[in-house]
């Protein structure tokens, strides 16, 4: 089989596997069986005459040959999709940018940037989705995203070890804050002392691995009591409002907290900094991508941390 005979289905399956990181996740996203995904990958690798995916215990990674195929496959699939839109009679777009973002960025920064773009570039189309940092980085590498908003904490390592390194721009760097029920004794002041965090109940994130306790103040010298484990940011903040516990929040979320929550700085220990990064592949960007990146930078500058709400009377 010559590579010129590779089907579009095989290219789509290959891109999905590279983006999702596992055969199982790709099968779920495509609505295929895992065996069907495996057959398509085997066929495209036979046509290429080389392994395109390195099988690892934690998933798959593109080989050098895989990166070549992915770069070309993305161009082919994007052109096919554009042709389908034209043939279906959809109006032409001034440009389409595929954007990914981590959950809390979607609560404040993303809506501000998209609202600005609707005013300044009404023909520009931004599509994308929320995801974890590893998933967004894989999507960038796979060519299915043009830009990604990533969160980074100390020691601020690159988001992956692949080559070439991603082009990263720091949009903001701010101290991590604490979300406290408005009725909690800690909510009476303008800040929380780190020593007062001992013995508190916490609402943690549901990520696995090293981020298992995301939502708990870093560096606590005790085993924290986890009251609830929640994936959704709004649900976490609503649980805080209900008095169920405390959770950490990026400073950018301060303006999006529901009634009954105070967002306060923590003093008495090293400041826990968090960076908001804009990531892309290291090659010249098309004009629509440049405009979206500029809107995100402006929104990040505008999304300053507001003053904490007044303490309860």
């Amino acid at each position: 089989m010559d590579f010129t005979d590779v089907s579009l289905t095989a290219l789509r399956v290959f891109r999905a596997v590279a983006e999702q990181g596992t055969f199982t996740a790709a099968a779920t996203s495509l609505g295929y069986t895992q065996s069907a995904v495996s057959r398509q990958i085997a066929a495209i690798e036979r046509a290429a005459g080389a392994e395109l995916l390195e099988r690892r215990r934690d998933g798959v990674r593109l080989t050098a040959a895989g990166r070549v195929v992915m770069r070309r496959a993305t161009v082919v699939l994007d052109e096919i999709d554009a042709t389908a839109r034209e043939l279906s009679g959809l109006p032409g777009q001034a440009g389409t940018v595929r954007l990914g973002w981590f959950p809390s960025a979607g609560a404040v920064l993303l809506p501000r940037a998209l609202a600005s773009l609707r005013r300044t570039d009404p023909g520009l189309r931004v599509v994308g989705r929320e995801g974890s940092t590893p998933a967004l980085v894989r999507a960038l590498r796979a060519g299915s995203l043009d830009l990604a908003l990533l969160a980074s904490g100390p020691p601020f390592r690159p988001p992956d070890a692949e080559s070439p390194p991603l082009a990263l721009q720091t949009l903001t760097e701010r101290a991590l804050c604490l979300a406290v029920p408005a009725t909690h004794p800690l909510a009476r002041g303008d800040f929380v002392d780190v020593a007062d965090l001992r013995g508190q109940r916490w609402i943690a994130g549901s990520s696995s691995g090293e981020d298992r306790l995301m939502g708990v103040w870093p560096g606590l010298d005790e085993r924290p009591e986890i009251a609830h484990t929640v994936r959704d940011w709004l649900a976490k903040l609503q649980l805080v409002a209900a008095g169920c516990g405390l959770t950490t929040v990026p400073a950018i979320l301060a303006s999006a907290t529901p009634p009954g929550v105070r967002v306060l700085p923590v003093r008495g220990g090293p400041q826990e900094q968090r960076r908001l990064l804009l990531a892309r592949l290291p090659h010249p960007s098309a004009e629509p991508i440049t405009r979206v990146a500029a809107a995100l930078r402006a929104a990040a500058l505008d999304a300053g941390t507001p003053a904490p709400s007044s303490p309860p009377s």
Side-chain angles (χ1 to χ4, degrees):
M1 177 181 176
D2 187 85
F3 198 81
T4 56
D5 296 325
V6 168
S7 69
L8 289 175
T9 298
L11 292 179
R12 292 189 189 281
V13 169
F14 175 61
R15 183 168 70 174
V17 172
E19 177 183 336
Q20 298 292 331
T22 68
F23 282 45
T24 301
T28 300
S29 70
L30 294 169
Y32 291 177
T33 64
Q34 186 169 340
S35 60
V37 169
S38 298
R39 287 195 298 272
Q40 292 291 342
I41 296 300
I44 198 171
E45 287 187 323
R46 283 197 302 272
E51 282 196 350
L52 304 181
L53 297 166
E54 177 189 355
R55 279 74 165 172
R56 301 155 55 96
R57 292 183 62 184
D58 58 349
V60 299
R61 179 177 294 180
L62 289 170
T63 64
R67 287 193 291 272
V68 171
V69 172
M70 183 55 60
R71 185 173 67 250
R72 299 295 187 181
T74 296
V75 174
V76 170
L77 293 173
D78 286 349
E79 286 298 318
I80 290 294
D81 291 342
T83 301
R85 286 195 299 270
E86 289 189 37
L87 291 175
S88 67
L90 292 177
Q93 300 289 344
T96 298
V97 177
R98 301 161 302 172
L99 174 66
W101 58 89
F102 66 96
S104 60
V108 176
L109 178 66
L110 185 68
R112 293 184 185 189
L114 294 183
S116 174
L117 285 168
R118 281 197 298 272
R119 294 190 299 269
T120 60
D121 294 275
L124 185 59
R125 182 169 177 252
V126 179
V127 298
R129 76 251 187 196
E130 175 185 292
S132 65
T133 290
L136 295 176
V137 169
R138 286 196 301 267
L140 281 173
R141 294 287 185 191
S144 56
L145 288 179
D146 301 304
L147 292 169
L149 289 164
L150 308 178
S152 179
F156 302 117
R157 297 187 181 93
D160 70 359
E162 296 291 320
S163 182
L166 295 174
L168 302 173
Q169 180 180 18
T170 299
L171 300 185
T172 62
E173 182 172 338
R174 296 177 182 149
L176 191 66
C177 295
L178 194 70
V180 183
T183 56
H184 196 285
L186 293 179
R188 294 170 183 165
D190 292 329
F191 64 89
V192 176
D193 192 289
V194 70
D196 292 331
L197 297 181
R198 300 192 82 242
Q200 299 294 337
R201 290 162 57 87
W202 296 92
I203 301 169
S206 58
S207 298
S208 58
E210 63 182 4
D211 290 333
R212 182 176 57 87
L213 294 181
M214 187 168 57
V216 177
W217 190 258
L220 284 183
D221 59 351
E222 65 175 356
R223 183 181 180 87
E225 179 185 354
I226 307 299
H228 301 283
T229 302
V230 185
R231 180 183 298 275
D232 179 70
W233 272 104
L234 180 58
K236 289 176 72 174
L237 292 174
Q238 291 289 359
L239 286 169
V240 173
C244 299
L246 317 181
T247 196
T248 58
V249 292
I252 199 171
L253 270 185
S255 63
T257 54
V261 176
R262 295 200 72 212
V263 175
L264 298 168
V266 176
R267 297 184 185 176
Q271 287 293 298
E272 286 293 333
Q273 298 297 116
R274 292 296 184 270
R275 288 179 184 171
L276 171 64
L277 303 176
L278 185 60
R280 61 175 177 80
L281 291 175
H283 53 60
S285 296
E287 179 62 25
I289 297 174
T290 301
R291 295 203 300 273
V292 172
L296 291 168
R297 287 194 296 270
L301 290 173
D302 290 342
T305 306
S309 56
S310 299
S313 56

